[in-house]
Amino acid sequence: MMVFRRRCKKVQHGMHVREIAIFFLLIAIFVKIFRLVKCTVNLNEYVSICTGFKDVDIETRLRISSLDILPIDVTSEENLPNHGHFNIQRIIHQTWKNRTIPGSFQPWMRSFWKNHPDWEYRFWTDSASKNIIQETHSYLLPYFGNYSKPIFRADAIRYVLLYEFGGVYADIDMKSLRPLDSFIRKYSCFLGQEPHEHPMLDANFDGLACNAFMACKKGHPFMKQLIESLPSFYHFPNMLAATGPHFLTVNYRNYIAANPKLDSMSENGVYLTPPEYFFPTLDSFKFKLFHTVCKNLNSLSKLQQWACDSLNRRGYDRTPYAFSFTQHMYYHTYVKIDERRPVDILELIPAVILG
Ligand SMILES: *[C@@H]1O[C@H](CO)[C@@H](O)[C@H](O)[C@H]1NC(C)=O
Ligand SMILES: *[C@@H]1O[C@H](CO)[C@@H](O)[C@H](O)[C@H]1NC(C)=O
């Protein structure tokens, strides 16, 4: 009796081990097939995950990215010169309606001054902006004066400032993380780009240039094109299209299309920078929308599926990289402004040059 029972137990135990082994084997096969299908079906969008694309060196990846083939996640910095000539004037331009700066923006504005102690810091109020347009591009005044909201004027003036003086333009809700000197040694004109997920999930396209952060040498032909395009985009009621990021993106594409051989590093070139450099984090105002959109994955385009996958992989709440130059704090000044703890610009940045 005892012997039989023991043998029986042994057999049961053996079966158990075999079943577990088969179970794990099936899981392994299933995972393999799943990854194979996922990588084959969405090859274009999943190149970076499935083909080891991430291991390509940074210069190659940036070159591929600038060909508009697919969005990429930049994880290290390209080569930037430590010595030599500056292609862009070392001037920071910022604008606000008047000289009184609300509390929220003060540390971010000071961060630019702190990181660029030997640069000029120029500040432009609404009335100074109007004066400079009158002096330099008076044909714009009828449009400038007629824009329905101040944000249109705030958009338009930045192109004029970069064309007339050269330098770096930054919205006052941009935070400087480190000096820009190496960047303006390499490029003559460059544009910030919003995180890929923003335009993909908002409007199903990639490559949204953002005018919250741009830099160009004085008299650059791309800035000229932007200024001269303002009248023909004037009729758009939406600020994004009339003067803002969509206006900038459309003009960038037209400029590249008209000059297909232009190198982004040449003196008339324009470099659409990877989001990780100047816009490393996402706009938290959009989190709820993104979450809702990504729930119906099957109804989305491949580009949008890529964006949802990227949100899953990298998360919503991101921090800047060690190589990020700036961070956009997405304050949405046209929605609401906290006017508390105001300070005069002369007190905030004693070295300021008033426009
Ligand atoms: C600037 O504008 C704010 C709010 O619109 C106002 O409270 C403040 O007094 C203005 N400052 C100056 C110097 O005009
Ligand atoms: C600006 O507004 C005025 C008055 O409404 C109008 O006469 C003028 O044509 C407008 N200018 C432009 C460029 O639309």
XYZ file of all heavy atoms in Angstrom, residues 139-147 231 234, ligand 2:
115
model
N 5.150 98.558 -43.340
C 4.035 97.995 -44.127
C 3.263 96.949 -43.331
O 2.146 96.574 -43.681
C 4.549 97.388 -45.445
C 5.453 96.183 -45.255
C 4.946 94.882 -45.304
C 6.821 96.346 -45.004
C 5.779 93.790 -45.096
C 7.646 95.258 -44.802
C 7.115 93.992 -44.845
O 7.930 92.912 -44.638
N 3.854 96.424 -42.213
C 3.163 95.424 -41.392
C 2.193 96.052 -40.390
O 1.336 95.365 -39.845
C 4.181 94.589 -40.606
C 4.999 93.549 -41.361
C 5.974 92.882 -40.407
C 4.106 92.503 -42.028
N 2.343 97.375 -40.162
C 1.569 98.007 -39.084
C 0.050 97.816 -39.196
O -0.594 97.536 -38.179
C 1.911 99.497 -38.980
C 3.101 99.847 -38.088
C 3.291 101.346 -38.030
C 2.953 99.282 -36.672
N -0.561 97.939 -40.404
C -2.018 97.746 -40.482
C -2.429 96.351 -39.996
O -3.449 96.202 -39.320
C -2.332 97.895 -41.972
C -1.172 98.633 -42.544
C 0.018 98.287 -41.696
N -1.640 95.337 -40.331
C -1.949 93.977 -39.875
C -1.675 93.859 -38.381
O -2.489 93.369 -37.620
C -1.093 92.949 -40.637
C -1.236 93.069 -42.121
C -0.323 93.802 -42.892
C -2.308 92.457 -42.780
C -0.465 93.922 -44.256
C -2.459 92.563 -44.152
C -1.529 93.301 -44.878
O -1.677 93.413 -46.229
N -0.498 94.343 -37.999
C -0.062 94.263 -36.609
C -1.093 94.902 -35.679
O -1.483 94.334 -34.662
C 1.296 94.957 -36.480
C 2.028 94.633 -35.206
C 2.626 93.398 -35.028
C 2.144 95.575 -34.186
C 3.310 93.097 -33.857
C 2.829 95.283 -33.013
C 3.406 94.042 -32.859
N -1.562 96.079 -36.075
C -2.523 96.799 -35.237
C -3.895 96.146 -35.224
O -4.635 96.280 -34.256
N -4.226 95.396 -36.270
C -5.570 94.823 -36.392
C -5.709 93.424 -35.800
O -6.823 92.934 -35.694
C -5.973 94.731 -37.878
C -6.557 96.033 -38.387
O -6.404 97.065 -37.743
N -7.210 95.989 -39.530
N -4.620 92.766 -35.463
C -4.741 91.411 -34.907
C -5.718 91.431 -33.735
O -5.714 92.358 -32.916
C -3.378 90.898 -34.423
C -2.467 90.386 -35.524
C -1.147 90.814 -35.629
C -2.919 89.433 -36.443
C -0.298 90.332 -36.621
C -2.074 88.945 -37.445
C -0.772 89.399 -37.524
O 0.049 88.921 -38.502
N 1.403 88.925 -43.910
C 0.157 89.404 -44.522
C -0.678 88.301 -45.175
O -1.901 88.306 -45.047
C 0.657 90.404 -45.579
C 1.954 90.896 -45.028
C 2.569 89.696 -44.364
N -2.578 86.396 -42.580
C -3.314 87.281 -41.677
C -4.778 86.856 -41.508
O -5.358 86.981 -40.423
C -3.241 88.713 -42.210
C -4.107 89.703 -41.493
C -3.736 90.204 -40.253
C -5.316 90.133 -42.054
C -4.546 91.113 -39.590
C -6.120 91.028 -41.401
C -5.738 91.514 -40.167
O -6.540 92.402 -39.508
C -7.631 97.086 -40.210
O -8.884 97.534 -39.704
C -9.386 98.687 -40.338
C -10.613 99.154 -39.595
O -11.436 98.066 -39.238
C -9.636 98.392 -41.794
O -10.112 99.554 -42.455
C -8.331 97.924 -42.458
O -8.568 97.544 -43.803
C -7.740 96.754 -41.688
N -6.426 96.438 -42.241
C -6.096 95.254 -42.739
C -4.707 95.103 -43.238
O -6.872 94.318 -42.798
